[in-house]
């Protein structure tokens, strides 16, 4: 089989030869991208389209057909115009370049566009491969640049690509990393041509520079409650793995463990739940009626949508609020979900101010997030600053009993997230819902407001969003009730 080493395959090969070999030789083993990965791809595509506006008069080269892309590029190089999606083939290496910009009489600049907000090591490897491929094909490369998003850019009317992007000259870093690239490329070409898959042990490389798409397959041999569920980072986990210990229950007594890790081991071995009643009671005593259970859903688009906002700025578009007036009272539910037409923030703030009252605890799960959202809102709408001061003094974080391991059940693994804690402590979860977490909610909302979704799709997604966000605050009520019960 004739196969080329492309820049994405080169990056895969640097991460792990097994991944590269599988992509080429057994592509059916590579899972379809999940919803978040697909969203990141799509976002990158949109960002790339804006970047093309930095080079007026550029030519967009069709790239659906590999050979057509290469042949058209070869023909257009002579025109000395900016080329978008140029395909350069040299022997068995192939690279498609976001932007190839002519300079001087016969030189070119490579401009790679990323939706990140800074230059990362993997970008240098990426561009280094592009430069190597171009030079092998006989092109003279003058500079290499990385165009990334400028986080400080503030939208005003139309998007201005010259403000949205920062073009960083990375020529020196590329030059440095290009030493030895020939050998790396030859090694990876050999990996591709092997008839058997190289055997590579799992390791930290499975997460960097990207979480590997073959994780489930390669990591599938691990038992339930493996040492990779231990709280406290990968260094400890891999040091145990290298000693041949793969199950939490097999960790010998002489291995120093943190308090949290000891609790995990105890719960796994005994099958019990860890509960520190006195400490939980102290936490519950902080809650003052009326209780307001609050949760936001937000989005953070790379390309700002509303005037006055920045790239990736957190924009709340929904909240759910359950109010419990006093002990034993039925919770009353309120919700807000923006219509998707205008900036949701003014109406959201107005509704919150109307509903949150002037006394009583405001309970959120990982309340630092809600507090951060509120503070950012007040920066944009300073007339709410005085109100916010009072709100912040009333906030209570329901995450604390779990992040501090006052309560721990082995099914939580190494996390205290609401999605794990709710089923662990109440037996109820999110399985029945069309939207399963905050990222799903954000992607679903962006899809219905910025794509040509049908009325039916919009209605269905809105219903899912309302159910999902409601469960977040209702779940918190159940958790508090359960904690109270445990402390009796
Ligand atoms: S999961 Fe790890 S070992 Fe398996 S292919 Fe990916 S990087 Fe390699």
């Amino acid at each position: 089989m004739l196969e080329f080493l492309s820049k994405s395959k080169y990056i895969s090969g640097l991460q792990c030869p097994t991944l590269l070999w599988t992509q080429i030789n057994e592509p059916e083993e590579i899972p379809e991208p999940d919803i978040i990965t697909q969203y990141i791809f799509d976002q990158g595509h949109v960002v790339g389209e804006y970047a093309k506006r930095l080079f007026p008069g550029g030519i967009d080269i069709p790239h659906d057909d590999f050979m057509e892309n290469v042949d058209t590029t070869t023909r257009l190089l002579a025109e000395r115009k900016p080329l978008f999606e140029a395909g350069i083939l040299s022997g068995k290496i192939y690279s498609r370049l976001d932007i190839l910009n002519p300079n001087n009489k016969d030189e070119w600049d490579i401009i790679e566009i990323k939706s990140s907000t800074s230059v990362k090591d993997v970008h240098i490897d990426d561009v280094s491969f592009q430069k190597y491929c171009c030079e092998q094909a006989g092109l003279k490369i003058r500079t290499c640049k990385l165009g990334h998003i400028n986080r400080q850019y503030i939208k005003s009317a139309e998007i201005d690509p010259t403000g949205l992007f920062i073009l960083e000259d990375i020529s020196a870093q590329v030059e440095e990393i290009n030493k030895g690239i020939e050998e790396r490329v030859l090694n990876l070409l050999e990996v591709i041509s092997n008839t058997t898959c190289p055997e590579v042990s799992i390791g930290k490389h499975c997460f960097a520079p990207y979480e590997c798409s073959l994780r489930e397959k390669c990591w599938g041999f691990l038992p339930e409650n493996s040492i990779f569920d231990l709280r406290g980072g990968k260094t400890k986990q891999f040091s145990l793995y290298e000693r041949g210990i793969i199950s939490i229950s097999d960790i010998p007594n002489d291995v120093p463990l943190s308090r949290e890790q000891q609790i995990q081991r105890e719960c796994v071995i005994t099958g019990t739940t860890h509960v520190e009643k006195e400490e939980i009671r102290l936490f519950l005593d902080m809650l003052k009626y009326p209780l307001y259970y609050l949760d936001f859903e937000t989005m953070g688009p790379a390309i700002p949508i509303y005037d006055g906002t920045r790239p990736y700025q957190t924009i709340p578009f929904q909240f759910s609020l359950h109010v419990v007036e006093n002990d034993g009272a039925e919770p009353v539910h309120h919700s807000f979900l923006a219509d998707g037409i205008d900036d949701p923030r003014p109406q959201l703030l107005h509704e919150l101010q109307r509903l949150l009252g002037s006394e009583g605890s405001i309970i959120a799960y990982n309340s630092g997030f809600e507090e951060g959202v509120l503070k950012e809102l007040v920066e944009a709408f300073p007339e709410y600053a005085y109100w916010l001061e009072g709100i912040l003094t009333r906030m209570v974080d329901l995450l604390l009993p779990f992040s501090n391991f006052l309560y721990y059940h082995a099914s939580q693994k190494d996390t205290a997230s609401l999605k794990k804690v709710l089923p662990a402590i109440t037996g109820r979860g999110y399985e029945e819902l069309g939207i399963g977490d905050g990222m799903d909610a954000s992607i679903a909302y962006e899809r219905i407001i910025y794509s040509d979704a049908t009325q039916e799709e919009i209605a269905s997604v809105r219903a899912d969003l309302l159910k999902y966000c409601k469960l977040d605050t209702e779940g918190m009520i159940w958790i508090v009730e359960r904690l109270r019960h445990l402390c009796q």
Side-chain angles (χ1 to χ4, degrees):
M1 178 171 45
L2 185 61
E3 263 301 347
F4 300 106
L5 184 66
S6 65
K7 64 171 180 168
S8 61
K9 300 274 189 321
Y10 174 74
I11 297 296
S12 294
L14 292 185
Q15 178 168 2
C16 177
T18 303
L19 174 62
L20 171 64
W21 188 92
T22 310
Q23 284 175 337
I24 299 274
N25 295 286
E26 291 179 355
E28 67 283 359
E29 292 291 324
I30 305 288
E32 289 293 314
D34 61 21
I35 182 173
I36 295 173
T37 311
Q38 189 59 51
Y39 172 78
I40 293 168
F41 287 159
D42 294 345
Q43 186 163 257
H45 180 72
V46 173
V47 167
E49 289 302 311
Y50 276 99
K52 289 175 185 172
R53 300 187 194 173
L54 292 168
F55 298 88
I59 304 172
D60 225 331
I61 303 178
H63 54 271
D64 287 346
D65 182 286
F66 172 76
M67 273 325 294
E68 187 195 345
N69 176 244
V70 172
D71 291 343
T72 311
T73 301
T74 308
R75 185 166 47 78
L76 289 174
L77 284 170
E79 293 201 17
R80 305 291 298 157
K81 287 187 174 165
L83 300 178
F84 308 138
E85 312 289 356
I88 306 291
L89 177 66
S90 171
K92 291 190 120 189
I93 59 172
Y94 163 76
S95 188
R96 210 167 71 212
L97 294 90
D98 288 342
I99 299 165
L100 193 57
N101 194 41
N103 231 308
N104 299 327
K105 188 167 155 280
D106 59 353
E107 294 177 312
W108 295 88
D109 293 331
I110 292 174
I111 298 112
E112 172 70 9
I113 301 298
K114 296 290 181 196
S115 50
S116 62
T117 54
S118 62
V119 178
K120 303 196 163 70
D121 288 349
V122 64
H123 301 155
I124 306 292
D125 278 317
D126 182 327
V127 177
S128 128
F129 181 81
Q130 296 180 39
K131 179 169 186 269
Y132 177 71
C133 189
C134 287
E135 289 176 340
Q136 291 298 300
L139 268 62
K140 279 192 199 167
I141 301 301
R142 192 189 67 146
T143 63
C144 295
K145 290 184 178 146
L146 193 106
H148 62 78
I149 298 281
N150 172 13
R151 213 171 186 144
Q152 302 313 317
Y153 170 70
I154 297 176
K155 180 180 181 287
S156 171
E158 285 297 298
I159 294 288
D160 168 16
T162 60
L164 179 65
F165 290 100
I166 293 174
L167 295 187
E168 268 194 54
D169 191 327
I170 54 168
S171 306
Q173 294 105 298
V174 168
E175 208 51 51
E176 184 58 33
I177 215 153
N178 256 13
K179 293 171 192 159
I181 190 167
E182 182 159 10
E183 198 184 338
R184 286 196 291 277
V185 166
L186 287 173
N187 284 342
L188 296 181
L189 285 170
E190 196 182 325
V191 167
I192 290 174
S193 62
N194 278 339
T195 49
T196 51
C197 182
E199 276 189 31
V200 177
S201 177
I202 63 168
K204 287 184 187 171
H205 62 275
C206 300
F207 302 92
Y210 306 110
E211 178 159 354
C212 179
S213 52
L214 287 176
R215 271 253 291 136
E216 222 165 272
K217 186 175 178 210
C218 295
W219 290 60
F221 70 95
L222 291 167
E224 180 75 9
N225 298 314
S226 87
I227 42 115
F228 293 101
D229 294 330
L230 265 190
R231 173 68 75 92
K234 300 214 163 25
T235 303
K236 166 75 98 197
Q237 296 169 349
F238 279 108
S239 80
L240 289 167
Y241 181 67
E242 277 151 24
R243 285 178 60 178
I245 301 161
I246 59 170
S247 178
I248 288 179
S249 53
D250 290 340
I251 300 173
N253 288 333
D254 65 339
V255 172
L257 296 178
S258 66
R259 168 185 162 268
E260 290 82 4
Q261 292 165 344
Q262 285 176 31
I263 291 171
Q264 283 188 277
R265 181 172 63 178
E266 184 70 18
C267 289
V268 168
I269 291 173
T270 61
T272 55
T273 303
H274 176 84
V275 182
E276 294 186 24
K277 289 187 182 181
E278 276 314 307
E279 293 296 319
I280 293 174
R281 230 176 251 132
L282 289 175
F283 171 81
L284 292 171
D285 285 347
M286 291 194 304
L287 305 183
K288 305 286 178 234
Y289 285 100
L291 302 180
Y292 296 84
Y293 293 87
L294 177 66
D295 182 62
F296 288 141
E297 298 306 329
T298 63
M299 60 179 171
I303 310 290
I305 297 161
Y306 307 111
D307 281 358
T309 62
R310 298 182 304 277
Y312 294 112
Q313 182 169 338
T314 304
I315 307 287
F317 60 82
Q318 178 179 13
F319 70 74
S320 172
L321 178 71
H322 272 93
V323 184
V324 180
E325 278 297 330
N326 48 55
D327 195 5
E330 271 299 305
V332 177
H333 184 238
H334 306 273
S335 63
F336 170 84
L337 176 56
D339 58 15
I341 298 167
D342 299 314
D343 185 345
R345 297 174 300 166
Q347 202 191 341
L348 180 136
L349 267 171
H350 176 81
E351 286 299 296
L352 275 179
Q353 193 178 36
R354 184 175 71 80
L355 293 167
L356 281 177
S358 57
E359 56 182 22
S361 299
I362 301 170
I363 304 160
Y365 204 92
N366 191 17
S367 64
F369 177 74
E370 269 70 19
E371 288 171 33
V373 169
L374 285 166
K375 284 177 189 165
E376 204 162 345
L377 281 172
V378 168
E379 268 176 41
F381 304 93
E383 62 273 27
Y384 286 91
Y386 179 72
W387 169 77
L388 178 71
E389 269 178 41
I391 292 296
L392 292 178
T393 61
R394 294 163 56 197
M395 298 285 300
V396 178
D397 193 349
L398 186 54
L399 172 73
L400 291 176
F402 305 97
S403 59
N404 290 337
F405 275 65
L406 305 183
Y407 176 99
Y408 179 76
H409 185 277
S411 64
Q412 290 171 231
K413 311 283 183 194
D414 63 344
T415 171
S417 76
L418 185 56
K419 306 299 173 284
K420 286 287 187 190
V421 165
L422 181 63
I425 192 167
T426 69
R428 306 195 223 186
Y430 290 73
E431 303 80 29
E432 308 295 314
L433 300 186
I435 287 172
D437 63 31
M439 195 64 199
D440 282 0
S442 165
I443 292 170
Y445 183 73
E446 279 194 48
R447 198 177 69 237
I448 59 165
I449 64 168
Y450 305 115
S451 74
D452 47 6
T454 63
Q455 285 307 314
E456 206 180 342
E457 284 169 321
I458 293 172
S460 161
V461 168
R462 288 182 68 85
D464 284 346
L465 283 167
L466 288 168
K467 269 191 234 161
Y468 165 72
C469 197
K470 183 181 180 194
L471 182 54
D472 272 350
T473 48
E474 201 165 29
M476 285 195 273
I477 299 177
W478 299 335
I479 289 172
V480 168
E481 283 172 357
R482 183 76 188 127
L483 288 177
R484 283 193 173 133
H485 179 76
L486 286 169
C487 292
Q488 279 172 0

